[in-house]
Amino acid sequence: LKYSLTYNETKKVTMSRAIKVDGKVRTDMCFPTGFQDVVTIDKTGEFFRMLFDVKGRFLIHRIKKEEASYKLCGVKSLSTAAKGIPVLITHDGRTIDTQILSSKFTTPSSWTSI
């Protein structure tokens, strides 16, 4: 992003709690960002999403504030939790209860908007 040129400048930016990854402040310079993570810089009001380019390398894509408010997740599997409750397992390890989803969305086809 070219906000800092040296190691010390980068350390000052991250330690000033100006960088958020998926809405959580990260002060570790070496914190790994993954596919479809949202990186926010509060002081400049900029939002970025980590994507892949055609060669499989990470690409930083600038997005709007409205788009940064939600997290894109790919569903890896559907399994059953305790008491037979079906849950979705996403690509980043999150577990989403489908009963909560069914109260927010009426049809499974609208789950893609999560």
Side-chain angles (χ1 to χ4, degrees), residues 5 42 56 78:
L5 299 176
D42 286 334
L78 176 68

Side-chain angles (χ1 to χ4, degrees), residues 98-106:
T98 56
Q99 290 179 342
I100 295 170
L101 288 177
S102 63
S103 65
K104 291 182 181 178
F105 305 102
T106 56

Side-chain angles (χ1 to χ4, degrees), residues 59-74:
L59 172 75
I60 300 172
H61 180 70
R62 188 182 306 265
I63 57 175
K64 296 179 181 160
K65 185 176 183 178
E66 301 84 35
E67 190 177 345
S69 65
Y70 57 88
K71 170 86 173 152
L72 300 175
C73 293

Side-chain angles (χ1 to χ4, degrees), residues 4-5 8 14 18-19 22 25 35 38-39 42 46 50 63 65 69 74 76 96-98 102 105 107 113:
S4 60
L5 299 176
N8 286 333
T14 56
I19 307 295
D22 285 339
V25 175
F35 180 59
V38 175
V39 178
D42 286 334
E46 294 179 304
M50 300 295 292
I63 57 175
K65 185 176 183 178
S69 65
K76 288 293 182 183
I96 301 172
D97 185 359
T98 56
S102 63
F105 305 102
T107 61
S113 62

